[in-house]
Amino acid sequence: MNRISGNNIGVITEDSQSGMTLSLRESWLFKEDQTARYYRLPLHDPVPVIRAMKGEGKNLILFFGVEDFEDLPGCSLLYVFEEPGSPGFVVLIPEGRGAIHQSVAGIFPIASLFEREIADGFGVSFTGSFDTRRLFLHEAYPPGFHPLRRSIPNTAPVQDTFDKPGKPYEFRSIEGSAVFQVPVGPVHAGIIEPGHFRFSVIGETIVNLEIRLGFLHRGVEKLAEGRSPDDGVRIAESISGDESAGNACGLSMALEQISGTQISPRAEHLRGVILELERAYSLLSDLAGMVTDIAHPVSASRLMVLRERLQQEADRICGSRFLKGSICPGGISERITRESLDHLFKTAGGIEHELDEIATWVLSIPSVIDRFATTGVVQPELIRSLALSGPVARASGSFADTRIDHPYGIYQERVPGQVCEQGGDVMARFSLKYQEIRASLRYIQELLVFTPDGPAIVPVQMHDGFALVATESPRGMALHWVYIKNGVIHRYKVRTASFCNWYAIERAVIGNIVADFPVINKSLNLSYAGTDL
Amino acid sequence: MQERICEAMIETVINLFKKPLCIDTTHSIGQDGGEELEIQRLGKDLQQEITRIFDKSFAIREVDCGSDNAAEIELGNLSSAYYDVERFGITFVASPRHADALMVTGAVTRAMADALIKTYEATPNPKIVIAVGDDACTGGIWKGSYAVLGGVEAVIPVDLKIPGNPPRPIEIIGSLLTLLRTQQRS
């Protein structure tokens, strides 16, 4: 049991008798709610505890800073862990709130990203970290500018807006006479979001890829501070267009948890419909993108028409083709009519049949199989160390699905169809996404049959507090943590699935040829805006 | 015997080709058909204007400077089989050097301002700049954030603003028509 020898703090001991799997003392428990247990560690260095957590199979999925958290002055760090087989999360809050912390990137590699994010936001540093470059703050921001500090107003850091006062970003370099670099972006050749890709190649083969994001950093988290909860949901909705409903739902659920609001069964059902509709149309464009990138536009055209029909359904339901405004704290938009839902029911069934035909056809074409199979393999070993989630993880043999592992809303009552593929290549992701769309369309029809009558929205009596909510967006697990103080948002932290999943691409492309990069990238289709915030 | 196998094989191959590669989907979309007629009507007018000003083809380069990707999706949808704006002479091109117009989305972020200016400078004169979406028009929900400069206007001159969160594809087509009607052939 005691994995940490020579640890003079005496953290981990006796717990085997009490049957507790935690190496945490229950006396450290600070707060327990529906979704998480918060522990305040009376230690300045959380590293031994975090190492023990890893030994017990828990996984670090989020790690962020909060200033003036409850009665704690300074910047508290919150480490969020997922425990296999347990729906609740574990959150550790160490005593240390100074400017220097111990890095945990050696234990959980994904922590490196969170540490860079915290260092940018709050100006704290991590000793022993292997990457100390800035993450979301580009050269346009002067050194010493840390926007998430509460003492910093939400205004421009410099007068001359086109100046570049920051240090130039240093890319990892691979050296050798045969190696050359291919820089791509931020402005790409197609209609896509900005990001920079730095390939190191030998001949056609990619030996290294470094992805630099942050071009779309709009200051989401800072903008939410001081806003009313309703305004916060509108901001969450604008994080990433094709995940608007998912993010609005995540923050709304967190606010409902804080206020103790129970939404109506009708709203619960229709939220499920909205979330699955969003999943279906988002994944449909992923399929279309994949076949476009291997030059099979005939099937892409058909898939795009199906997507168009689902977006028209979204428009009919709530007046937005991206389901904006459909979910709000306390329930759903009142403008959703029975007629529009009946229409969706019919369309969902029709699309299911047509999709089956297209997918069967596409997957029987030898040239498609040739390009998809064995291309861009995401190794299952990466899932845990990079906190991968969603279709990326499920196409590499994982069953992880937030709707099933951490059920929320309607998913507590009705379990959605679970899909898993082995292989981890583009082929696996194509067939997985196809099956997920199918499962979503089925689930929509099922929910619509059982949707009861009732109020669309109930009033939310907001009071102070904090809550963590996990939802399954089309791209994987999205985490929303919100802290309400004096009736307004004091801190809003969001981690979309893309934030972690991006680094799967850096690994998946190695050994592939540059010409296959577009299809590999599209098979994951991650959100730049959702990562940059 | 061999002959029969041969015949069967030929029949299979013929059947393969008989199977339509693309089902005619026009009957199943836009239930009332009203929107499709509207697209055709707008498109026809648009085509006339494009022929008048640009000799049949109007090339657009899209730049995302801080959008939430919804506007990108709608611009991508314009090229889908449903709207298919290419039949009216509109093409989305890969390089600003090939473009007659820039379509810019998003409240321009500090990190993208430089890339936007470079893209603008790389576009040959005369050029049109179109701001697509509320964020690009005014800064939208991001107005007042330390990380954005505001609407596209804050960085480069803008000729047309298409508001919306994001604007629907048909609204984009309609706005383009309005813009081109005011343009002179140069």
Side-chain angles (χ1 to χ4, degrees), chain A residues 1-258:
Chain A
M1 186 63 208
N2 190 348
R3 284 167 202 273
I4 299 163
S5 49
N7 165 25
N8 55 9
I9 309 163
V11 186
I12 298 139
T13 43
E14 77 286 328
D15 289 340
S16 49
Q17 278 93 17
S18 60
M20 284 189 296
T21 54
L22 271 178
S23 40
L24 297 163
R25 298 210 177 142
E26 288 307 316
S27 61
W28 296 345
L29 189 68
F30 164 58
K31 187 198 167 198
E32 182 166 8
D33 58 26
Q34 292 105 294
T35 48
R37 275 175 301 161
Y38 296 79
Y39 290 89
R40 258 168 77 171
L41 306 188
L43 314 163
H44 281 272
D45 178 12
V47 173
V49 182
I50 288 173
R51 191 169 286 125
M53 301 281 272
K54 183 173 186 177
E56 289 161 5
K58 295 188 184 73
N59 209 15
L60 183 73
I61 52 169
L62 172 64
F63 160 25
F64 60 99
V66 191
E67 274 190 1
D68 305 334
F69 178 52
E70 298 292 84
D71 56 339
L72 308 170
C75 178
S76 303
L77 297 183
L78 275 70
Y79 297 75
V80 183
F81 291 85
E82 186 183 22
E83 196 175 353
S86 159
F89 296 96
V90 174
V91 184
L92 302 188
I93 312 163
E95 193 57 40
R97 293 188 296 278
I100 299 168
H101 297 264
Q102 281 291 324
S103 168
V104 294
I107 307 168
F108 291 104
I110 196 68
S112 175
L113 283 176
F114 295 124
E115 287 172 2
R116 290 169 68 191
E117 194 184 30
I118 297 167
D120 278 5
F122 295 98
V124 299
S125 61
F126 293 87
T127 50
S129 63
F130 49 79
D131 193 347
T132 53
R133 295 173 297 174
R134 296 211 282 185
L135 185 73
F136 65 83
L137 294 181
H138 277 219
E139 289 88 339
Y141 296 92
F145 176 69
H146 301 292
L148 290 178
R149 283 185 179 164
R150 295 194 68 79
S151 55
I152 301 279
N154 195 2
T155 49
V158 275
Q159 288 303 310
D160 181 7
T161 48
F162 305 125
D163 204 19
K164 286 194 171 180
K167 229 175 39 176
Y169 189 81
E170 282 174 30
F171 286 92
R172 283 194 297 266
S173 67
I174 305 282
E175 288 172 7
S177 60
V179 186
F180 59 95
Q181 312 280 326
V182 184
V184 181
V187 179
H188 299 279
I191 306 180
I192 54 167
E193 301 174 76
H196 183 88
F197 300 89
R198 184 68 63 99
F199 297 93
S200 298
V201 297
I202 298 178
E204 284 277 5
T205 311
I206 302 170
V207 290
N208 188 52
L209 165 63
E210 184 167 0
I211 301 174
R212 188 191 187 198
L213 301 174
F215 292 94
L216 291 178
H217 178 64
R218 293 149 290 165
V220 169
E221 291 174 6
K222 184 79 174 179
L223 196 67
E225 289 178 9
R227 299 293 182 96
S228 72
D230 282 337
D231 282 357
V233 173
R234 297 284 82 85
I235 292 172
E237 202 167 64
S238 306
I239 290 172
S240 180
D242 47 5
E243 292 173 337
S244 346
N247 286 328
C249 187
L251 183 54
S252 296
M253 287 196 319
L255 295 168
E256 285 151 14
Q257 189 177 312
I258 294 171

Side-chain angles (χ1 to χ4, degrees), chain A residues 315-432:
Chain A
D315 200 357
R316 198 171 274 124
I317 288 174
C318 69
S320 161
R321 287 163 55 89
F322 292 87
L323 295 163
K324 291 186 179 187
S326 60
I327 294 178
C328 42
I332 48 161
S333 156
E334 280 177 313
R335 60 169 290 174
I336 300 178
T337 62
R338 173 116 312 259
E339 291 71 47
S340 65
L341 295 172
D342 286 345
H343 200 277
L344 171 65
F345 183 83
K346 276 187 226 137
T347 309
I351 289 181
E352 204 185 312
H353 290 297
E354 209 166 324
L355 178 68
D356 278 346
E357 198 223 307
I358 303 171
T360 320
W361 167 49
V362 168
L363 290 174
S364 67
I365 301 168
S367 63
V368 172
I369 297 167
D370 185 39
R371 291 291 304 274
F372 279 0
T374 71
T375 306
V377 177
V378 174
Q379 298 294 346
E381 293 76 35
L382 291 175
I383 296 174
R384 214 182 144 198
S385 51
L386 293 180
L388 305 182
S389 60
V392 183
R394 289 195 287 276
S396 292
S398 162
F399 274 99
D401 186 331
T402 317
R403 295 172 292 172
I404 291 157
D405 303 339
H406 310 279
Y408 53 93
I410 191 66
Y411 304 113
Q412 291 165 319
E413 270 175 57
R414 289 180 189 280
V415 182
Q418 198 171 17
V419 192
C420 173
E421 283 280 335
Q422 306 292 328
D425 53 359
V426 176
M427 186 71 156
R429 287 190 284 277
F430 185 90
S431 32
L432 180 104

Side-chain angles (χ1 to χ4, degrees), chain A residues 260-278:
Chain A
T261 311
Q262 182 64 47
I263 70 166
S264 73
R266 178 180 173 79
E268 208 76 279
H269 277 75
L270 292 183
R271 274 188 183 179
V273 170
I274 290 166
L275 294 176
E276 295 304 321
L277 177 59
E278 180 172 73

Side-chain angles (χ1 to χ4, degrees), chain B residues 14-52:
Chain B
I14 290 173
N15 282 341
L16 255 176
F17 281 102
K18 269 189 193 159
K19 197 177 161 195
L21 278 178
C22 184
I23 291 178
D24 176 19
T25 40
T26 44
H27 64 276
S28 52
I29 41 181
Q31 299 297 317
D32 43 6
E35 197 186 44
E36 273 163 82
L37 290 177
E38 178 73 2
I39 295 168
Q40 277 179 20
R41 192 183 60 73
L42 286 173
K44 225 172 154 185
D45 292 352
L46 198 56
Q47 195 166 20
Q48 269 179 12
E49 294 300 320
I50 288 172
T51 307
R52 178 178 68 83

